[in-house]
Amino acid sequence: MAAFSKYLLISVPVVALAGIAALWWQRKERERSYTEVGRVSSLIIYPVKSCKGIRVDNAKCFKEGMEYDRRWILVDKNDTFISQRVDPKLALVVPHFEDGKYLCLDAPGMKTLKLDAELSEDKQELKRILVYRVYGEGQYVGDEAAEWFSNYLKRPGCKLYKLSWPKLICEDKKWGDVALPGDKASFGNFSPYMITSEQSLVALNGELPSPVTMERFRPNVVVGGLKAYDEDKWSKKIIKIGDVEFRFLKNCGRCSLTTINPATGEKEGDEPLATLQRIRLPEDRDPRQGRAPLFGVQFALDGDKMGVVKLGDRVMVST
């Protein structure tokens, strides 16, 4: 009886505190107000990291990113992940899903590779894979995929893995402080969500000798209706798309991958990176960005409420 009373004395305050915290959060949610700034004009997922994306009409949003987004990753014989920066030919690997059960990949000169989208748990070969300072975990997809990529890239020893455990963003030694403990990502470079603006691309193309497409920047969500670079004002904001809320993490600093033409799988000079470095290095940028010019904004799912975003959804910014 005494032990039971002791349990009550401990558990009741804990439950009460949890209830108070939940009520406080709900009140905070109700008090949050938004202003509409645009509409979703494109939604894209990239099933295999650094391969071509798939445009979708709607997407389920999870803590680690959109469903199927960057859930597969390719590594070399040394277990180092391979991106277009290493081999631009990945830009020509075209994914699609068949019957909701299979991931199919096509590439020039290759027969279609058809993989089970869900892997059997009794065939687990798990590996920790480092993606820019943070480890995720992947399950080996199989020898057929390994041979297919090795032959296509002419790189013996390639292996394909599917995400089995997401990265924890707060473990990033460079940028982890911008995240909350529960923030996760699949095999993307940093964040689970990338948002860009149509008008920012229009403004950039106005400075370039030849225009580029949004494919160079590999966003998940493209917003129409914003003024050029208005997304710079989203620092510390919550973005609401449909019923899904996203929390600002940081602006995206761009690298040499933007110089690879997604239509040819070849690097073409220094553009648009050179022009971005001329016009998109604001003086008030985070010094950790270095010389990486800014284009697009990186977000995490806010809270644990998951949902679906759709083409045409209103994009709202917290006030």
Side-chain angles (χ1 to χ4, degrees):
M1 186 67 178
F4 179 71
S5 299
K6 182 179 179 181
Y7 172 78
L8 283 177
L9 287 171
I10 294 172
S11 63
V12 170
V14 170
V15 172
L17 285 172
I20 291 170
L23 289 172
W24 176 84
W25 180 255
Q26 289 172 7
R27 181 181 178 185
K28 182 181 178 183
E29 291 286 284
R30 288 195 300 268
E31 292 177 349
R32 185 179 286 159
S33 59
Y34 292 91
T35 299
E36 181 176 341
V37 296
R39 298 269 178 162
V40 174
S41 60
S42 296
L43 294 169
I44 312 101
I45 59 172
Y46 307 85
V48 183
K49 181 176 178 64
S50 243
C51 295
K52 200 170 288 292
I54 301 174
R55 291 182 177 270
V56 295
D57 294 332
N58 56 75
K60 295 178 183 177
C61 296
F62 301 97
K63 291 290 285 187
E64 64 270 25
M66 289 179 173
E67 185 176 31
Y68 295 128
D69 184 53
R70 296 170 172 93
R71 294 304 200 270
W72 286 265
I73 190 170
L74 187 67
V75 302
D76 64 16
K77 62 182 181 181
N78 299 314
D79 296 330
T80 301
F81 83 88
I82 303 174
S83 74
Q84 289 183 32
R85 284 177 290 276
V86 175
D87 202 319
K89 286 174 63 180
L90 283 176
L92 302 182
V93 176
V94 181
H96 73 271
F97 288 97
E98 187 176 300
D99 301 328
K101 297 180 180 179
Y102 304 103
L103 171 66
C104 301
L105 302 176
D106 290 287
M110 303 294 294
K111 293 183 178 180
T112 299
L113 175 65
K114 187 174 183 179
L115 305 170
D116 289 325
E118 301 299 328
L119 300 180
S120 173
E121 293 184 2
D122 62 355
K123 295 182 179 179
Q124 288 200 354
E125 178 188 327
L126 302 178
K127 183 176 294 294
R128 294 179 74 226
I129 299 170
L130 184 64
V131 179
Y132 291 110
R133 303 175 298 274
V134 184
Y135 281 94
E137 182 187 82
Q139 181 180 352
Y140 180 56
V141 172
D143 294 343
E144 182 183 7
E147 183 178 359
W148 192 90
F149 273 104
S150 296
N151 289 338
Y152 172 61
L153 298 179
K154 295 180 173 54
R155 286 175 173 270
C158 289
K159 287 186 175 183
L160 187 68
Y161 288 84
K162 185 186 178 188
L163 185 75
S164 56
W165 192 261
K167 303 186 303 171
L168 296 177
I169 301 176
C170 60
E171 294 180 356
D172 190 305
K173 294 179 180 179
K174 183 177 181 180
W175 289 102
D177 62 299
V178 305
L180 295 180
D183 290 344
K184 303 173 184 179
S186 55
F187 286 128
N189 288 357
F190 176 71
S191 70
Y193 295 95
M194 170 72 68
I195 302 178
T196 60
S197 157
E198 285 183 345
Q199 285 305 118
S200 296
L201 181 64
V202 170
L204 171 60
N205 279 332
E207 302 280 345
L208 292 173
S210 299
V212 298
T213 67
M214 192 66 85
E215 284 185 87
R216 302 265 184 147
F217 303 100
R218 302 178 67 79
N220 296 113
V221 181
V222 181
V223 180
L226 287 172
K227 294 180 180 178
Y229 306 121
D230 256 11
E231 61 272 27
D232 288 349
K233 303 173 184 176
W234 292 354
S235 178
K236 300 181 180 179
K237 297 288 188 178
I238 301 294
I239 304 299
K240 187 174 183 181
I241 302 176
D243 292 326
V244 185
E245 292 178 310
F246 303 89
R247 178 177 11 93
F248 174 90
L249 294 177
K250 71 181 187 72
N251 297 94
C252 183
R254 293 298 175 169
C255 67
S256 61
L257 190 145
T258 59
T259 64
I260 296 167
N261 186 335
T264 64
E266 297 178 348
K267 188 178 186 304
E268 297 182 349
D270 297 324
E271 295 293 2
L273 190 61
T275 294
L276 282 171
Q277 287 176 329
R278 176 170 59 82
I279 66 173
R280 292 293 294 156
L281 287 173
E283 293 183 1
D284 61 348
R285 70 188 184 281
D286 191 306
R288 288 175 289 186
Q289 297 282 8
R291 290 285 299 169
L294 308 183
F295 192 94
V297 191
Q298 295 177 305
F299 282 85
L301 201 67
D302 191 47
D304 294 319
K305 181 182 177 182
M306 293 166 279
V308 177
V309 296
K310 303 182 293 294
L311 286 178
D313 272 349
R314 296 191 302 165
V315 179
M316 315 284 284
V317 177
S318 61
T319 57

